[in-house]
Amino acid sequence: MMKHLKIKKLDENAVVPTRATPGSAGLDLCACTRTPIVIPAGGRAMVPTGLAIAIGDMGAVGLIFGRSGLGSKFGVAPSNCVGVIDSDYRGEIIIPLANHGEADFTVRHGERVAQLLIVPIFTPEPLLCDEIDKTARGTGGFGSSG
């Protein structure tokens, strides 16, 4: 298990991620911008954080999730739903935000725009098969379980 997440400030004004409460799963990521970024209603914008991280552990991935307050109050959420930071990526963390709301939304420096979770992953090698094992559910898809 990782004890520390190495974080590098790429901009001296970048905000180091923190957890809002001791029980928070994610680290809050903040915008690092010299001027406000306006995301028009129905539009998208790339929001820099001024940070790079080193996950290092090849059995882990960084996942970028939206903040529930931004989504529920303003309709602003990551445009790719969940961002993936591979363990070997060392570039700046940039948050692509989409504004699904009816009004323009302004992102200011230091504003919490997303949250980062470091999660263990499995990376099995794909194996092409003629058959796969059967289950009680079988091929039942959308809505088939009730």
Side-chain angles (χ1 to χ4, degrees), residues 21-34:
T21 68
S24 295
L27 291 161
D28 287 330
L29 294 172
C30 298
C32 183
T33 178
R34 303 246 184 266

Side-chain angles (χ1 to χ4, degrees), residues 59-117:
V61 65
L63 298 177
I64 305 289
F65 290 94
R67 297 196 66 251
S68 59
L70 287 182
S72 63
K73 293 177 187 174
F74 305 104
V76 174
S79 60
N80 56 342
C81 296
V82 176
V84 174
I85 302 173
D86 295 313
S87 64
D88 57 350
Y89 177 67
R90 296 297 184 269
E92 182 177 10
I93 297 173
I94 298 175
I95 312 300
L97 289 180
N99 181 353
H100 303 287
E102 297 175 3
D104 293 355
F105 183 82
T106 302
V107 177
R108 291 178 173 75
H109 177 78
E111 184 169 1
R112 297 178 296 165
V113 293
Q115 53 186 322
L116 168 67
L117 279 75

